[in-house]
Amino acid sequence: MTSGLKSGVKRRRNPALSRNLMEEGVLSSEDLRFFLTVAGARSLAEAARTLNVTPPAVTQRLAALEKRLGIRLIERTGRRIALTDEGDLLSARGRRICEELGLLTEALGSRRRVIAGHLRVLAPLGFGHRYVAPAVARVRRDHPEVTATLTLSDRPGRVAEGSWDVMVHIGELRDSTLVMQRIACNRRILCAAPSYLRRRGGPARPEDLRTHECIALRENDEDVTLWRFAGPRGQTASVRVDPVLASTEGAVVHDWAVAGMGIMVRSEWDVAADLRAGRLVALLPEWRLPDADVIALLSSREARSARTSYFLECLRAEVQAHPWNQPG
């Protein structure tokens, strides 16, 4: 008999899930973390991107898990996935078990005055590679009983909340019930290469951007073609640009702009060195774009975690070692 979908009529749950599967060796904490990532994704392909593996690898591991349990956990409906009743139960209880394991590891570590446990960090691609990865490595070097997973994503806001402990976020933040800690201030800057300015000239006012070749970075599900400015006398201007080039990868947008392909809006952390070196030129300096501060989002539980606190210390130190307004 086929398991019922989470969104369908509920059926009697398989009694096998009520046993202590971890004690019996059927499930491991890594199995639970894997399944929680799959359960929080909209498709197996999205889960594969989060786990940094191929979709066939996710399919094979999921099939092996279902075979060991003797039940179906996921049903595919087109390209999307849906939890069965048993999958819903495993997701809910598995999340609690992982939280309890984290708290237990933390408590035992505090008795020995060590920082331990598994740290899961989610961060944007470019900033994550340049600043977050070294911070995670420092946590591991300083505290060998900490293990860590760093997920870099071009759409961090779409990654399931239950699959990370700390999310490093840059840019506009929608309403959130999570604990927020600011890591660093970060401006957005309108800029272009000297070669583009020689070819097309620069805008004298925000409205001129409508006739320029603009480059857009599609990130965080923001309205990336609406560029909003605040003027020197408190006036505002909103310009809808029609980008000639767009990408979900910040490094690509950055390289296009340096190559003279158009005007872009980019974070100060990414372009400060180029501005100092003359590879890029800041435009409309009297007009300010909305800031895109670097913040960390945590659940209330992780806000009390020693490993999380130490990671945030390391991240702040990493950022301060390479401030935007100094050579780095």
Side-chain angles (χ1 to χ4, degrees), residues 162-314:
S163 62
W164 49 266
D165 302 317
V166 185
M167 176 199 282
V168 179
H169 180 88
I170 298 176
E172 183 178 352
L173 180 65
R174 295 180 175 86
D175 292 340
S176 175
T177 58
L178 299 172
V179 178
M180 182 186 78
Q181 293 193 27
R182 180 169 279 100
I183 302 299
C185 296
N186 176 56
R187 293 187 301 149
R188 281 191 170 118
I189 298 176
L190 185 76
C191 54
S195 59
Y196 175 85
L197 299 176
R198 287 193 295 269
R199 178 167 59 88
R200 291 292 311 275
R205 55 182 185 170
E207 291 78 9
D208 296 342
L209 291 168
R210 295 191 180 96
T211 62
H212 276 270
E213 299 168 25
C214 296
I215 306 173
L217 173 62
R218 303 193 182 280
E219 61 179 350
N220 295 336
D221 297 323
E222 295 181 16
D223 188 352
V224 297
T225 62
L226 183 64
W227 293 359
R228 296 176 286 119
F229 298 85
R233 295 183 298 276
Q235 70 272 45
T236 61
S238 295
V239 181
R240 176 69 68 181
V241 300
D242 184 15
V244 297
L245 292 169
S247 176
T248 59
E249 171 55 71
V252 171
V253 170
H254 176 277
D255 291 346
W256 282 339
V258 171
M261 301 297 292
I263 297 174
M264 71 171 177
V265 171
R266 196 71 182 111
S267 284
E268 187 177 14
W269 70 261
D270 189 44
V271 298
D274 297 289
L275 295 171
R276 290 193 300 270
R279 292 185 292 270
L280 292 171
V281 177
L283 307 176
L284 301 177
E286 293 184 347
W287 291 83
R288 190 178 181 96
L289 289 149
D291 291 339
D293 291 347
V294 182
I295 61 175
L297 297 174
L298 311 90
S299 66
S300 57
R301 177 180 65 83
E302 282 302 321
R304 300 190 302 270
S305 165
R307 60 181 174 274
T308 298
S309 297
Y310 192 75
F311 162 71
L312 295 177
E313 289 179 17
C314 292

Side-chain angles (χ1 to χ4, degrees), residues 133-146 310 314 318:
V136 171
R138 179 179 166 184
V139 173
R140 171 65 184 171
R141 283 196 303 268
D142 293 351
H143 299 281
E145 295 195 37
V146 172
Y310 192 75
C314 292
E318 187 67 31

